[in-house]
Each structure stands twice: as C-alpha cells, then as structure tokens.
Amino acid sequence: MHKNKPNKVLDTKLDAVSKSLKQSIKNLDSYTHVRGESLYVDDVNIRQGTFHAVVFDSPKAHGKIKSIDYSKAEALEGVQRIFTYKDVPGENEIGGIIPDEPLFAEDEVHFWGMPIALIVAESEFIARKARDLIDIEIEDLSVITTAKEAKAKGSFINAPRSFSLGDTEKAFVDCDYVFEGETFSNGQEHLYIEAQGAYAEPQENGNIKVTSSTQGPTAVQKTIAKVLGIAMHKIEVDVTRLGGGFGGKEDQATPWAVMAALAAHHLNQSVKLILNRHDDLRMTGKRHPYESTYKIGLSKDLKIIAYQTEFLQNSGAAADLSPAIAERTLFHATNSYYIPNVTTKVLSCKTNLPPNTAFRGFGGPQGMFVIESAIAKAAHEIGVPTRTIQEANLLDENDTFSYGQIAKKVEAKNTWHSAKNIFNIEALEQAVETFNKNNTSFKKGIAFMPITFGISFTNTPMNHARALVHIYLDGSVGISTAAVEMGQGVNTKMMQIAADVFSIPIEKIKIETTNTTRVANTSPSAASSTADLNGKATLMACNALVERLKIVASEDLKASVKDITLKEESVYINNKKSALTWTELVSKAMLKRVALTENAHYATPEIHFDKTKEKGHPFAYHVYGTAITTTTIDCMRGTYEFDSVKIVHDYGKSMSEGIDLGQVEGALIQGIGWMTMEEIAYNKDGRLLSNALSTYKVPDIFSVPKTVEVIPVETEGNDMAILKSKAVGEPPLMYGIGAYFALQNAIKAFNPNYNMQFNAPMTPEKVLMSLYRKA
Ligand code: LUZ
Ligand code: MOS
C-alpha cells in the first residue's frame, strides 16, 4: 500500500515567517472589487476631447477586396477620420512569432472579423453609426474552416513538429493490444469579463502613453513602435489590472492598442478603443480546436508500450502563438504516463477562422485529451476499468519524457494513491455501482484524471523577469515588476514576499502598475510562471536591500551583521529586540546615503531545449495532481450534473492558500466548461454562429459540481518554485477533462452498446444521442 511521504518541516526563514500570512491572506484586490473601485481600462480618466474608435472588420472569411466606399461614413457629423493600412507609417505587421498578420487587411481578407479600418469619431455611438455606412465589395475565395480540410489542401502555418522516444514502429509489432482512433476537441471562448481595449494618449515630442488591457505590455510597446516606425522608448505602456485574460490577452490585446496609438499619433489627440462583446467575440481568436488521430499499443499486463499521434491544430488565418501552442501539445501528449516508445506530430493548419491563440493550458489540454481518449478506448475494448490502465502507467521518478527531460520529484503516483486513500475510492465506486443497479432513468459515472504540467515558457529565452523595489524614507515600500494582475492574485503574492523579507505589514507595501518604463523588455504574464519569475526577482531585490540595511544596523547598534535580523518592524540582535525600528533604520540608511532602491533580474536556471534535436530540459519543474469526478445523468433528457470533483493537488508549499484554492476551483470549472458545454460554432462560410451568450453556454453557478474538494499533497516542494509554492494558474484546468470521461462511463452504464465517442464538448444533446445510439 502506498504511504504518503512525510511532510518534512522546512527550516528556511521564509517558511517560518510566512506561515501565518499564507493562511490568512486574501486576494488584496477583493476589497476594491467588492466596492466597485478596481480600475480597468474603461475607468481611466480620459483627457478632454478624447476621440472614440470602432473597428470596421471583414464581413467575409476569405476574399479579394474589390472596393470600399468610406464616403458616407466620413461625411457623418462627428467622424474625425478613418484609418486603413495606407495610414501605417511603419510596418503593417503584428505577427509575433511569424510575420504573417497585417494590422489592417490590404487587398485580401482572411477571416470573418479581420480588421480593415479604424473609425475615429467624437463618440463611440457616432463611430458605430459610421461603420454601418461603409460599403464593401468582396470577391469570394474558397473558405477553409477545419484543420482536416486545411491539411488536405496543404494549407499550413509552418513546418510540422515531431517528438520521438524509443522506436515506436518496432514496439507496436510486439504489443498484445493495438487500438487506433480519432478525437476532436473544440475551441473555447476566453470570455474575460473585461473585453479587449486600450487608451492612447499623445505626450510631448511624439511620445505616446498607452493604457492597455494586456498580459504582455512589452509586446504592445514593441508592436506599436514597429507599426508607427518609431523607437520603443517613445512608447509607454501601463497596465493596472485586467478583468481576466486566460491567455486571450497574451497576444491578442495588441492590435487594439496599436490601432489606438496609430490614431493618437496621427490626430495628436487621445483615442479610446474598447471592443464591445459582439465585436470581441467575432474578431478575436480562441482556444485551438484539434482533430487528432492516435494509435496506442499495450502489453498483456496493460503497460502502454507504444503511442503515436498526429495532432491537427486549427490555427486560424495567421500564426499568432500557434507554433508555441503546438509545441506544448507535444510536451503534454503523454500526460502523467511513462511510455517508452512515443512518436507525436503536430501540424499547425491554416484556416479562415480568426487566428486562434493562447488559452489557459496552451495546447496542453488538447494533447492530454487525446491520450486519455486512447486509454479509455483501450480499456473499453479490453474490458477493464480505464483507471486500471491509467494506474499501471503512471510516471515514476527518473522516467524520461519524450522530449528528453528526466522526471524528478514526481508526484504522479503520490497524488493518485493519496486521492484513492483520502477519498476512499472503494466506497465511491461502490456507491456508483449501487446507484446504477437501483436506477434506470438516472446513471452515474466516475472517472480519474491525473495531470502533469510543465512549468516554464517552453521558449527558454522568455523565462526571466525583473523587479524594481523602492523603500521610501518613511519605511513604506513600492514594488514594480512585469507581473500583470488579471484576477490570479499575483500582486498579493508579490506583496507577501516583500512583507516576509522586510518583516513589515502589508499596509506598508504598494504594488505599482505594470509599466514598461519601470520594468522593461518583459515576457508576458503567462505560462503559469508569473509569480515564479517575478516573485523570484522581487525576493532577490528585497534580500539585497535587507543585506544593505543590516550593515547600517550593525554600525548603529555596534553588533555583528550576522547576528542581525529584521522582525516585526524592528531590528533584532541574536533574536533579541533592539530599540531600533524599521522606520528608524530606513532613515539612518538615508542619512548614510545608502541606496534604498534595488533592481533585480531573475532568469530560471537549468532549463534548455534544442529544437534541432527536439530534446532538452525545458521545464523548471512539473505540477502534478489527480482528480476524481462523479456525474449523474438524466437518461430521459441527456442533462447531467457533477456530483463531486475530489482532487489531490500538488501545490508544493502553497504561499497563499486561499488564492491557490481559488485558482484550482476556477481552472477546474473552466476545464469542465470546455469539455462539456462550451460549443464554438462557425458555419461553412466561416461566420461565428456562437456569437453571444445566448448561443454559447458557459458554466454558471448552477453547473458547478455540487462539491469540490481539494487536498494538498504532502510534498517536500521544489526550490525552483517561488517559496516552494508551485505555479497554479493552468495545471488544474486539465482536471476538467475528467468530466468528459465520467460522462462516457455514465452513458455506458445506461447503454451497453455504446461505443465511446471522443468528440468534445460532451453537450447534453450529444449525451442524449449517445444514450440511445445502437453502436
Ligand atoms: N505562453 C508562451 C504560454 O508564450 N509560452 C508558453 O510556453 C506558454 N505556456 C503556457 C501558457 N502560455
Ligand atoms: Mo497563457 S495560456 O497566456 O498562460
């Protein structure tokens, strides 16, 4: 029987100090949120005379622009000017990874919703009215909406990528069981509460300040500079917080900020551009739909010996972040399992949908859905419970991932067995069985979902951050980092770190806006790495300041530096409180002309990846966990509820327990939404049909599981994580995949002829059809 690892007590100073704070800390934004005082882009005090802008976008998914008549729109009173690609002084190009995306369409349109022009007027209302007066004539070209069609036509974003381990072809020959199949997972709308938007304000000497709802202020700054043909130092980008990002503002916050800046540049007046919900839904990309094929081979004792996949990623009409997302699909293609022979391949297929983009999990969930489907299929065919195969193949210490990294401090088995023990799996499964025996029109299903998620930007050079820390002469502290607060609580975590190191109350600390003039050349707040990267930089800066202050204290108190500590706003010598307070110490440092500002740079050590070999050590560490999901379906209606999701999660040593639990719960529900109810639909002309909340159903309070239990796994933690507190933003989203398989099992309990379908989301309509399907 598996035993939990002992929960070793760590004697680091930080662990001791943060104990009380980590349990009591609330997301600091909650106070301004509930009072309606939190500031978003739309709340910025605008300058008198500010103009408002609306984007004119393509009413066709693919075609040649024959003519556009702006005359009626331009003649409308209050319209200032309409900008097109002809007004771009620099490059009409916003592609981040591959330069394949114009800011404004020139002579062709590639997706329905593609920006063609920006209408600037005295009010948004007038700009919208003007938009309706534009006449456009487009000659239709053939439209591709699915990845398969794109593949058949040879329409790709870039060259395919492939990872391999062992000898897959040879290994299949020796397998006792081999199964093949196809899967589909649909896209997902980010549905951040705050839609995309930006406010651009001209400054002196042709400089522009832009307030943007972006996860990546530097990307915005860089792209504005490129499009305007000016240097980056002329652009200042400022972010207070986002009303949600979820990846949708990693790259796709940029065009709107660029357009606002372009108009401000030409008009020398402030310009505000905020998309309304319909425009946002139509013009922005979503999670990538994937069409995939798999082949899985097992031995008699249910070890997975060989696994092969081809992932077709529906990238949309431009690269955006698709190549990086495709890569992460390969990194997570074997989820929490060790498979000795693996060949995975991904094709980024160019279609006429809006460029699909980053979404929490970043291609990882799509990869994991396929391996889980393959295992479920194998279990169904062999006639064993899915969890038997899952359990027989869980990752172990020192196993090799297909990309060459050796798994260390692995918690796959620990979380799995802890979940079985803590939640009493025998009783849970017995209850499901008994229920199914005693009920004909309701059936229950249960499924395990283990997760393993790699932490770091897979593009190694992006793993860095800086923190600028000022101690003001009254002892209060201001901190600037590259971290963008988007509801995930990163500002609270940064504050905790400083409060810990300085041993001062959080009231004395302010987290400043994220601003490119204070912290430059930053990576976006993404990849679950924001708290790790920016937190480590903050920790370094605060520690450097403390070392400096200790010298001042030692001189003042005539004590040895090594005997001095800072505790509860006082200086201690050999753990005895001295008369010198934090505030006095800071004033003394000022008088001695000691620098009270520090700028620290952190770059994740140890990571590397060689794309020519597709091998390396791309991740600082992995996050592990196991979820057990139970569902009840109504077999007359096809509707369902989730009775419970029981999770053992690898937080490491959570530094902010409330915030981290919130991330797990939120990600889980978002994952369940993706797998069960959120159904993006485009028609064959490439028009978005699910273009409102009446046609796109997201989880609400009634569709959350009746109980969600999250137990931290006992672990030693990992020093690559900030204060051993592991990244928590994305990994728990993939627990939601368990919901899909719980539904499959419930359907099987009702319909013994049911042949499993791997076509997500598993909407109530699909459940109903499956309940009565003959094969
Ligand atoms: N963004 C990115 C990400 O640029 N690189 C990544 O590896 C990544 N991973 C997850 C989410 N966003
Ligand atoms: Mo991302 S999917 O912006 O971490």
Side-chain angles (χ1 to χ4, degrees), residues 190 215 245-251 287 321 325 357-363 457 486 524-530 730:
H190 302 87
Q215 290 173 241
F246 308 114
K249 296 170 182 172
E250 180 173 342
D251 229 34
R287 186 189 291 286
L321 291 162
I325 291 159
T357 193
F359 195 134
R360 207 172 192 175
F362 207 71
F457 287 95
M486 50 188 132
S525 285
S528 302
S529 303
T530 313
E730 295 171 291

Side-chain angles (χ1 to χ4, degrees), residues 700-760:
D700 55 20
I701 196 66
F702 302 106
S703 46
V704 302
K706 277 188 247 154
T707 60
V708 176
E709 257 181 285
V710 189
I711 309 282
V713 72
E714 294 183 10
T715 166
E716 287 172 32
N718 192 310
D719 286 319
M720 297 284 267
I722 179 67
L723 308 183
K724 294 181 184 283
S725 183
K726 282 189 171 184
V728 71
E730 295 171 291
L733 182 128
M734 284 145 277
Y735 291 136
I737 296 172
Y740 187 94
F741 293 95
L743 288 170
Q744 296 296 313
N745 290 335
I747 296 164
K748 262 174 75 170
F750 181 82
N751 177 2
N753 298 323
Y754 178 58
N755 205 352
M756 287 203 187
Q757 307 281 309
F758 306 110
N759 182 353

Side-chain angles (χ1 to χ4, degrees), residues 215-279:
Q215 290 173 241
T218 291
V220 169
Q221 179 194 21
K222 188 173 105 183
T223 314
I224 292 173
K226 179 161 133 180
V227 170
L228 295 187
I230 61 178
M232 281 172 74
H233 72 276
K234 299 189 84 73
I235 308 298
E236 172 185 353
V237 179
D238 190 80
V239 183
T240 301
R241 72 163 62 64
L242 318 187
F246 308 114
K249 296 170 182 172
E250 180 173 342
D251 229 34
Q252 297 205 359
T254 300
W256 330 109
V258 175
M259 289 176 201
L262 175 77
H265 168 85
H266 281 295
L267 298 170
N268 197 29
Q269 179 55 285
S270 298
V271 176
K272 186 167 168 178
L273 167 56
I274 298 196
L275 302 191
N276 74 10
R277 184 61 65 183
H278 280 109
D279 287 357

Side-chain angles (χ1 to χ4, degrees), residues 10 21 40 133 153 188 217 267 275-276 281 348 393 397 403 445 525-526 542 558 575 629 634 643 694 708:
L10 296 156
L21 202 51
Y40 301 89
L133 299 174
K153 292 188 175 165
Q188 187 176 22
L267 298 170
L275 302 191
N276 74 10
L281 290 171
S348 292
N393 292 282
E397 200 68 13
Y403 45 91
S525 285
C542 294
K558 312 266 176 310
N575 289 323
T629 303
D634 177 335
D643 307 333
S694 53
V708 176

Side-chain angles (χ1 to χ4, degrees), residues 47-62:
R47 207 189 275 182
Q48 197 170 12
T50 291
F51 294 132
H52 299 263
V54 161
V55 179
F56 171 64
D57 61 301
S58 174
K60 295 272 174 155
H62 195 196

Side-chain angles (χ1 to χ4, degrees), residues 112 145 281-282 284-286 353-354 356 680-690:
W112 200 301
T145 58
L281 290 171
R282 187 176 67 253
T284 64
K286 304 163 199 324
L353 301 186
N356 285 316
I680 303 252
Y682 291 93
N683 69 9
K684 63 176 178 11
D685 298 327
R687 179 181 182 178
L688 181 68
L689 300 176
S690 51

